[in-house]
Amino acid sequence: MTFAIKRLRPGDEALFANIADDVFDAPVEPARLAIYLSSPSHMMVAAMQDGLMVGQCAGVIHCHIDKAAELYVDDLGSASTHRRQGIAAAMLTELFEWSRELGCEEAWLATEHDNDVAKTFYRGFSPIEDASIQFYLFKL
């Protein structure tokens, strides 16, 4: 299977007209998409195959006043019909490379304790694991 990885920027909204199932958790809202793509701290790469978006990987660069910038990998999704073909690895690798170019020295992400598929995938990138973190969600 042939696919291309593309770094998304403002003006790439038309690429979201043809998205495969399972790439996003919910329908993409045009107003939110425009805000996301126009923010310099937001990053997104997409896997494209013949005009169809078959994957996406999104992140946010966190800038600090006391340490180097870091990438938070916010979302990674690929079409169920295109899994286990190297798309997720290619997207995450591209997001890592792009963040390095922007001065990031580290990247981090989280997944559910019982998401064994994701944990196995992420371990393929040789991360430092920290199971001691507690997650808190605040409804605003």
Side-chain angles (χ1 to χ4, degrees):
M1 176 190 68
T2 303
F3 60 89
I5 303 298
K6 179 171 176 45
R7 294 178 182 186
L8 301 179
R9 304 184 189 284
D12 286 332
E13 290 85 356
L15 295 175
F16 291 79
N18 195 13
I19 304 171
D21 291 339
D22 306 319
V23 172
F24 291 95
D25 296 327
V28 174
E29 295 187 23
R32 289 180 178 175
L33 173 61
I35 292 168
Y36 192 95
L37 292 180
S38 67
S39 174
S41 63
H42 290 157
M43 307 168 72
M44 182 179 285
V45 297
M48 304 297 299
Q49 181 184 40
D50 299 324
L52 177 66
M53 186 179 293
V54 296
Q56 59 82 23
C57 186
V60 178
I61 295 179
H62 290 261
C63 295
H64 304 277
I65 61 172
D66 61 340
K67 57 186 174 182
E70 63 186 6
L71 171 69
Y72 163 61
V73 180
D74 182 49
D75 199 14
L76 174 64
S78 60
S80 57
T81 55
H82 289 70
R83 292 188 182 144
R84 297 203 171 279
Q85 298 180 30
I87 291 172
M91 291 187 302
L92 191 58
T93 298
E94 183 65 21
L95 197 67
F96 286 169
E97 178 59 32
W98 191 5
S99 66
R100 272 193 224 69
E101 292 170 14
L102 296 174
C104 292
E105 295 182 5
E106 293 181 333
W108 65 278
L109 57 81
T111 192
E112 297 81 7
H113 289 289
D114 62 351
N115 191 341
D116 293 329
V117 172
K119 291 182 342 186
T120 299
F121 171 73
Y122 294 130
R123 286 178 178 140
F125 287 84
S126 302
I128 298 167
E129 293 188 48
D130 185 346
S132 65
I133 295 173
Q134 177 63 47
F135 175 77
Y136 297 93
L137 177 66
F138 302 91
K139 295 287 189 177
L140 302 178

